[in-house]
Amino acid sequence: MNRSVLKVLDDFYRKNFVEGEIVPSEDGNYKILNSHYKNKFGTFILCEKMLEQKDLKPGSSWNIVKGILVNSGNPYEIIGTIHIPGYTNTSGFFVRNHIEDEIVGLSYSETWEVIYKYGARNAEASRSLFPPLETTIINTNKELPPFTSAYWKTPVFNKDGGFYAQLSNLVLREVENAIVGLDAKERVGTFEPAVVQITDPSIASVEVKEVEHPYENLEVYYSAEVTPKISIPIMDDVLKDLKKIAQFIATSEKIVVLTGSGISSGSGIQDYKKVEESLWKKDPFTMADLNNKVFANEPESFWNSFYIFMKHLLHNFTPIHSHESLATTIKAISTNDDHLFFVWLEKQLNKEVTIVTQNVDGLHQKAGSKKVVEYHGNIFECICPSCNSSYKLVNVFTANGLPRCRCGAILRPNVVFFGDEVHYQKQSIEEVKQADLIIVMGTTLKTFPFNELVYHKNEDANLILINEFHVEIEVDFDVVALGDITDICHKLWEEINQIDSSFYKKI
């Protein structure tokens, strides 16, 4: 079934068309119904999105839970999507707080929380549930173009080179990641500290500082250039908590670390779950193809959809989306200090560290961690469903035919897609049970059943949260350290070294 949607001229590759014509856009083909459609918000192009006549199998099973509905009396209003020049991703939203009469730049997750709980004048937030999956979506009202439209695109920098509005810490981190490699590194040093105040969630002030790389003895594992970075200042109360964490780490024997996308953001990797959510909204038929049933019955459709998914996952790194360029990009992705911190614990403190990660990028292993449980698989690997042989994606990813195993079977990406069971659930539970220290880092703990792993810890084990924000879960953490994860790792490195130099050895 086709659906009506509002667009603007900049949403289309072609600028000259007539009503009734089907015109291509970045997110599909549209039939032009009215090129001068007017409502109280302005003049738009009324279109009909041309959907493929496929059966969207999971559609009817989604349970949608809406937050506060659109109302002119709601306190917040989205005035634009945050656009970083040279960066194809939307980095969040500029949101007006009508109560405080101020504009602030928030990440997608922060915007969703605010709108879901308090409501907006031109948008609504919802949760879509299809156990074990959950997506979060922000939609405009029907009288405005969707947030993917160029209508909303607002440059993060104003004409004077400063920020269009104050930015939250998460958006600042995104800006930092985006400008690395865009010949704009010198601008980082000009960022002014910004204090962002909003009813909920609370957001700390930010500052700019130079990072002194601490893992000098692990250069063999570190290839990325150290650059100035934007970070959340570590407050006195957090420093006290870090001393406790450092003591726990120094005295522990078996450490289990539960990690999420916050660990890989410093390497420029997009949140895998957010890419999935975005594609479910923009191109649901592509996502509907990424399951075992389609793989078994229509492998060509499966791999074509997987190629589209990979373009979206990696477009931060390369504007060229050939199979060859994507393969080259995969090889070039670097680890960051968050990964290296746990390698340092293994190599220099001789700790037994097990990483249980939701990330599918393989960067923990690339950094040098010995024991990594990939809960959702590894998107850069392929497996043979017949003989269980494994291959690197870069070695089989080709535009010429389907990737095949030596035994002749068609290969499948080694990653958890819609309807798949998670990998190594029993092993992950056992690792948590045996640990005397569990560190949760860089994850919202919203994804089931990963978020239930913490409930399997033994009574004597210490549980620590290191994150940029709180997590909503009914469990008591022994210590919570909130802030920039990389800065916290650097500070922990200093604190652990101060406890007793005998805890680590030189390589």
Side-chain angles (χ1 to χ4, degrees), residues 4 33 62 81 220 227 234 300 315 331 437 481-482:
S4 297
L33 302 180
W62 285 92
T81 55
V220 64
T227 60
I234 299 179
E300 295 87 357
H315 71 194
K331 293 178 182 178
L437 176 62
L482 300 181

Side-chain angles (χ1 to χ4, degrees), residues 295 302-303 306 378-379 381-383 411-415 417:
F295 173 76
F302 175 92
W303 272 100
F306 180 72
N378 188 325
I379 203 165
E381 291 181 354
C382 289
I383 54 173
L411 297 173
R412 182 194 190 281
N414 186 23
V415 69
F417 283 122

Side-chain angles (χ1 to χ4, degrees), residues 4 22 39 51 110 118 134 219 277 312 339 354 361:
S4 297
I22 296 177
N39 62 26
L51 301 179
E110 291 168 332
Y118 303 106
E134 176 182 341
E219 289 178 344
E277 292 173 355
H312 283 79
H339 302 109
T354 300
D361 50 42

Side-chain angles (χ1 to χ4, degrees), residues 427-439:
Q427 179 186 349
S428 300
I429 291 174
E430 286 304 312
E431 295 289 351
V432 170
K433 285 181 178 179
Q434 296 171 20
D436 55 14
L437 176 62
I438 299 148
I439 302 174

Side-chain angles (χ1 to χ4, degrees), residues 89-101:
N89 258 5
T90 295
S91 301
F93 299 87
F94 286 116
V95 180
R96 182 184 295 277
N97 180 339
H98 284 277
I99 297 175
E100 303 293 337
D101 192 26

Side-chain angles (χ1 to χ4, degrees), residues 202-226:
S202 59
I203 303 166
S205 62
V206 295
E207 66 176 10
V208 180
K209 68 176 185 177
E210 293 283 341
V211 173
E212 179 182 353
H213 193 273
Y215 311 117
E216 53 197 13
N217 290 322
L218 293 177
E219 289 178 344
V220 64
Y221 300 106
Y222 189 80
S223 58
E225 179 185 353
V226 180

